[in-house]
Amino acid sequence: MKHLKNSVLALAAFPFCMHAQVEVVKVTSKNLLSIVKLPGEFLPYESVVLRARTAGYVEQVLVDRGSVVRHGQLLVKLSAPEIAAQVAVAESRVEEADAQRVEAEAQLASAQSTYDKLKKAAATPGAIAGNELVQAEKSVDAAKALVRSRESAMRAAQAAVTASKDMQQYLSVTAPFAGVVANRYVHPGALVGPGNDSSEGLLELQQVSRLRLVIAVPETNVAGIVRGGHVNFTVPAYSGQTFSGVVARISPALDAKTRTMSVELDVQNPRGVLSPGMYPEVSWPVRGQGAALLVPATSVVTTTERTFVIRVRDGRAEWVNVKRGVTDGELVQVQGPLQVGDVVVRRGTDEIREGNLVQVKKGS
């Protein structure tokens, strides 16, 4: 009995002499893609507050909050009788300038005719005085200058008519793009004008058939930004549904205060289920820097003192300290003094002591 006890103690003192049959795998590498949850915010793809470009009274508001409008649709009609009067005055000045131009052209024709006759008569020596021909020529030059002046006045009067009619067109406020009326600020009878800083405007128009999803991506995760890539997100209003957008615009610089980079996704919203102001949760892809070393999760042993894998080298067990990383299915990323192709025990345990002789199972 004493001899048996001594044999057990000897075996316990030299565990490395024991042969353990183990199943092994090779360390592999892979570029990992992980997902982090980031908050985002929806903004309309286009948004504008429509304001009056000329002073006038609101005559009609043809839409209201929630109205769907098309591009070029009449939204608000203003009235300003003084503009109609300005158009009438400008048109009368055009007529006056035209009459003066016609009169100047008649004077030119008369002067030119007189000059031509004197020039012809001057061919006969002594028929007319030389000074008369010079005066006739100067009269023609003066008449031409007067015609040019009257033509310039005519063009200026026509430009005034065009400007007055443009101001008259400003009394009709139309939609610059197709969208939805988000807010209405005025009612018939209100006095509006371009110089009224206290005015909120006439209407607020937003394009919501397509939205901008703005995400503040932390500096550590910007490596996952790929222009044109698809990114999934969810919104609290539609639990269980997953939506997606396309990375369209990327800020060229980080925000100095938050150390984040603004990224915009284009999100198609033809049914209008998503709305500006919603705060979705975005599943943002994060790509690791370079290839990661991977082993089965069962290969990593964690004790109170260390985390390690058991590498098999020259038939013996070798404990290699590692740090766990992200998981990829049944595999886990490890960081430590390992290389691709190293052989490690598939199911690690601290019972396989460092230096133990190990026997690899066939087929592993």
Side-chain angles (χ1 to χ4, degrees):
M1 189 68 180
K2 183 178 180 181
H3 177 73
L4 180 60
K5 183 177 180 181
N6 291 337
S7 298
V8 172
L9 291 174
L11 287 174
F14 302 95
F16 56 86
C17 295
M18 300 176 63
H19 286 73
Q21 284 195 342
V22 295
E23 186 178 355
V24 297
V25 294
K26 290 185 177 180
V27 177
T28 60
S29 67
K30 179 181 178 182
N31 289 322
L32 293 180
L33 178 66
S34 59
I35 300 295
V36 296
K37 300 295 184 178
L38 297 177
E41 181 183 6
F42 280 124
L43 300 177
Y45 191 77
E46 291 182 298
S47 178
V48 64
V49 175
L50 300 176
R51 302 179 184 275
R53 298 183 65 179
T54 184
Y57 288 93
V58 177
E59 185 175 317
Q60 285 183 295
V61 181
L62 304 174
V63 293
D64 212 324
R65 180 177 295 178
S67 298
V68 179
V69 301
R70 64 183 183 278
H71 177 259
Q73 180 178 335
L74 179 62
L75 307 179
V76 181
K77 290 181 66 176
L78 307 179
S79 64
E82 62 275 13
I83 294 181
Q86 292 173 5
V87 173
V89 170
E91 289 177 341
S92 68
R93 288 177 178 172
V94 169
E95 294 177 358
E96 181 181 352
D98 187 46
Q100 292 175 348
R101 180 186 60 81
V102 172
E103 182 181 355
E105 288 177 347
Q107 293 176 2
L108 173 61
S110 176
Q112 185 69 48
S113 176
T114 300
Y115 172 74
D116 292 341
K117 289 177 181 178
L118 291 175
K119 187 176 182 180
K120 185 176 181 181
T124 303
I128 62 169
N131 187 46
E132 291 184 42
L133 184 61
V134 173
Q135 290 180 350
E137 185 179 6
K138 296 297 182 182
S139 296
V140 171
D141 292 340
K144 287 181 178 178
L146 182 60
V147 169
R148 290 193 295 269
S149 175
R150 294 290 186 257
E151 287 176 345
S152 296
M154 177 73 174
R155 289 193 294 270
Q158 289 174 337
V161 171
T162 302
S164 297
K165 288 185 175 180
D166 286 344
M167 293 293 290
Q168 201 169 34
Q169 290 180 355
Y170 294 158
L171 297 176
S172 298
V173 181
T174 59
F177 53 82
V180 178
V181 177
N183 287 295
R184 169 181 172 171
Y185 301 117
V186 295
H187 297 273
L191 175 63
V192 295
N196 190 356
D197 295 335
S198 62
S199 173
E200 294 179 302
L202 305 175
L203 302 167
E204 182 180 1
L205 184 64
Q206 296 180 348
Q207 184 185 22
V208 295
S209 59
R210 182 166 56 161
L211 297 173
R212 299 174 186 261
L213 174 50
V214 182
I215 312 165
V217 180
E219 181 180 3
T220 55
N221 298 331
V222 297
I225 300 175
V226 179
R227 193 184 302 274
H230 289 261
V231 178
N232 294 331
F233 62 89
T234 58
V235 290
Y238 300 97
S239 178
Q241 293 190 42
T242 301
F243 304 87
S244 68
V246 179
V247 177
R249 287 161 294 279
I250 303 171
S251 174
L254 292 172
D255 185 293
K257 295 180 179 179
T258 62
R259 306 306 302 169
T260 59
M261 180 178 288
S262 293
V263 179
E264 283 191 10
L265 275 62
D266 280 351
V267 178
Q268 299 299 325
N269 188 36
R271 295 180 298 160
V273 295
L274 303 174
S275 301
M278 285 184 172
Y279 291 94
E281 185 179 60
V282 182
S283 299
W284 187 256
V286 178
R287 286 173 173 78
Q289 298 293 328
L293 297 178
L294 300 174
V295 298
T298 56
S299 296
V300 181
V301 183
T302 301
T303 66
T304 57
E305 298 178 352
R306 60 198 292 190
T307 299
F308 61 93
V309 296
I310 302 174
R311 179 167 56 192
V312 177
R313 178 175 289 179
D314 298 329
R316 292 187 178 275
E318 179 183 359
W319 287 13
V320 180
N321 292 336
V322 296
K323 292 182 179 179
R324 293 177 66 104
V326 298
T327 59
D328 183 37
E330 295 181 353
L331 302 178
V332 63
Q333 177 190 10
V334 290
Q335 297 177 347
L338 292 172
Q339 295 182 356
V340 176
D342 281 352
V343 178
V344 298
V345 177
R346 178 183 291 275
R347 298 186 179 279
T349 173
D350 58 357
E351 294 181 359
I352 303 176
R353 306 299 297 175
E354 187 164 14
N356 276 172
L357 295 172
V358 293
Q359 182 177 357
V360 177
K361 291 184 180 179
K362 295 181 178 181
S364 64

